Amino acid sequence: MLAALVALTGCKREDAASAAPRLAPDAPIPDAFPRETRLSIGDPTVQKQLQLSGDIDRLPFVVDWQNISGGPQTIEAFRAGALDAGAVGDTPPIHATFTGLDVKIVTVYVREKPIYELATAPGVRLSSIHDLRGKKIAYSPGQAQGALVQRALRAARLSPQDVTLVQLASPEFKEALTSRQVDVAPLSGTILRRYLNEYGAEGASSIAHGVRDNLGFLHVRAAVLEDAHKAAALREYVKWRTRAQLWAHAHPDAWIEAYYVKDQGLTAAEGRFLIESAGKPLYPGDWAEAIALTQETVDLLAEASGQKRFEARTIFDLRFQTIGAEAAGAAQGAAPTDRPATAERSTP
């Protein structure tokens, strides 16, 4: 897939870049850019929101939409030069930086409610994160689920040596639980709901982990921001993206029917569960808290993996800091969100 993307987009990407002025990392982002400016974006959910809201045809630039999501796919596409921007959780930009890929975060998105719960295999008893000692835990390095496991262990005052970390891709977690390959795995959304519905009678359960897991980012290849036209178009995309996410939150019935039911094949009840379990999207106009939380994750993962620690602020492009909050304020007819909702961070 990525090879095809490179073949299809490589030439026109170079042509567009050569025509655009070079932008320094600390230079203000210009307001103007040509209508033919192209961005390659992996943001499938927002793409659908833009389609349903009717805004996709109003974007003032050209988008080559890519069906790419999640950290591993996005990082692979970045390395191939086949993607300009991608939506991820809070860990992939850290993992990309550890591996020498230069990325920048241009949007901070905060879920009102936690994403994951710690699900147990049938018959495994877990009343709090302190009971993780001695358990086999599904672990996905480079993804948000992996960082969550490390945060939960630290909150429980446990080390990785106190448990057995079983390295798996996150789509394998549910099957690993049902086959008793692992005792515990972080699950979310309908996967968690369906797992508990199917195996609850056999003793499967889940608990809240009590640590912060509700940050999401739109991040880009840093080289893309050296193109003045692309940087300006990305700033506009952040505005349209925010507006689309808030549209979906404000029109839950239409979003459930068009996306969760018709596009994703879920039931209406499952779609409503996902919306209610996420809460309202929030867009902080000050990224200080997000940077501090990311620094905690950088330090934790560097210690666990032996990677070199770095300053988290270096992967946040503060030229974009207020864009989402300002767009949210305009969309809602209210003042921008100043801070993300406070999530419970105490140890259960």
Side-chain angles (χ1 to χ4, degrees):
M1 179 184 70
L2 294 180
L5 281 174
V6 174
L8 288 171
T9 64
C11 293
K12 63 187 175 187
R13 193 180 299 275
E14 284 184 11
D15 291 342
S18 63
R22 185 177 176 84
L23 190 68
D26 57 350
I29 297 174
D31 294 324
F33 57 92
R35 175 67 179 82
E36 61 270 19
T37 300
R38 305 186 76 95
L39 294 172
S40 178
I41 298 176
D43 203 0
T45 304
V46 170
Q47 178 187 358
K48 189 68 174 180
Q49 291 167 342
L50 286 165
Q51 289 171 340
L52 293 173
S53 69
D55 279 345
I56 200 162
D57 295 326
R58 302 188 184 103
L59 297 178
F61 45 83
V62 181
V63 180
D64 297 318
W65 295 104
Q66 311 297 346
N67 188 26
I68 293 173
S69 61
Q73 277 194 336
T74 300
I75 290 173
E76 184 184 0
F78 278 178
R79 289 196 184 282
L83 194 69
D84 293 329
V88 291
D90 64 350
T91 304
I94 298 172
H95 181 68
T97 305
F98 280 156
T99 58
L101 185 61
D102 194 3
V103 300
K104 296 293 181 183
I105 293 164
V106 297
T107 297
V108 174
Y109 163 90
V110 183
R111 279 173 51 118
E112 193 174 28
K113 300 177 182 180
I115 299 173
Y116 298 100
E117 292 185 17
L118 295 179
T120 67
V124 174
R125 297 181 61 83
L126 198 69
S127 60
S128 79
I129 58 174
H130 298 286
D131 296 330
L132 290 172
R133 182 184 296 275
K135 300 294 191 295
K136 294 181 293 184
I137 305 174
Y139 183 69
S140 54
Q143 292 189 277
Q145 295 94 325
L148 172 65
V149 168
Q150 293 286 355
R151 290 190 199 108
L153 291 176
R154 183 181 62 177
R157 296 179 175 84
L158 298 173
S159 75
Q161 290 69 44
D162 293 320
V163 301
T164 301
L165 297 178
V166 180
Q167 189 166 325
L168 298 166
S170 56
E172 300 173 315
F173 284 5
K174 180 184 173 184
E175 184 178 348
L177 286 170
T178 60
S179 64
R180 276 68 165 186
Q181 182 181 356
V182 298
D183 300 316
V184 181
L187 298 183
S188 65
T190 54
I191 295 176
L192 173 64
R193 178 169 174 159
R194 287 176 174 177
Y195 174 68
L196 295 178
N197 285 344
E198 293 169 13
Y199 294 94
E202 298 179 27
S205 63
S206 68
I207 64 165
H209 49 69
V211 296
R212 187 70 174 265
D213 79 337
N214 60 345
L215 283 181
F217 299 136
L218 181 74
H219 72 326
V220 305
R221 292 185 297 119
V224 172
L225 297 174
E226 296 175 3
D227 182 314
H229 293 165
K230 285 181 177 287
L234 277 166
R235 185 173 61 180
E236 286 302 304
Y237 179 67
V238 170
K239 298 176 185 178
W240 289 92
R241 182 180 197 265
T242 302
R243 174 173 167 170
Q245 290 173 323
L246 290 170
W247 177 91
H249 178 74
H251 300 82
D253 293 338
W255 178 237
I256 289 169
E257 178 62 22
Y259 180 68
Y260 289 117
V261 176
K262 293 184 177 179
D263 191 79
Q264 297 294 300
L266 305 180
T267 67
E270 288 171 334
R272 188 160 299 280
F273 168 78
L274 286 176
I275 288 179
E276 292 174 353
S277 64
K280 184 177 182 180
L282 303 171
Y283 307 89
D286 181 347
W287 289 355
E289 184 176 4
I291 293 172
L293 289 166
T294 302
Q295 187 66 63
E296 290 179 10
T297 306
V298 169
D299 296 345
L300 182 64
L301 295 181
E303 180 181 358
S305 66
Q307 297 283 352
K308 184 178 179 181
R309 178 190 181 276
F310 64 89
E311 293 294 325
R313 57 180 172 75
T314 61
I315 61 173
F316 288 79
D317 192 326
L318 296 181
R319 294 175 296 179
F320 290 81
Q321 180 172 221
T322 63
I323 305 303
E326 290 167 355
Q332 299 172 116
T337 302
D338 291 325
R339 293 173 58 84
T342 300
E344 180 60 49
R345 299 177 65 192
S346 61
T347 302

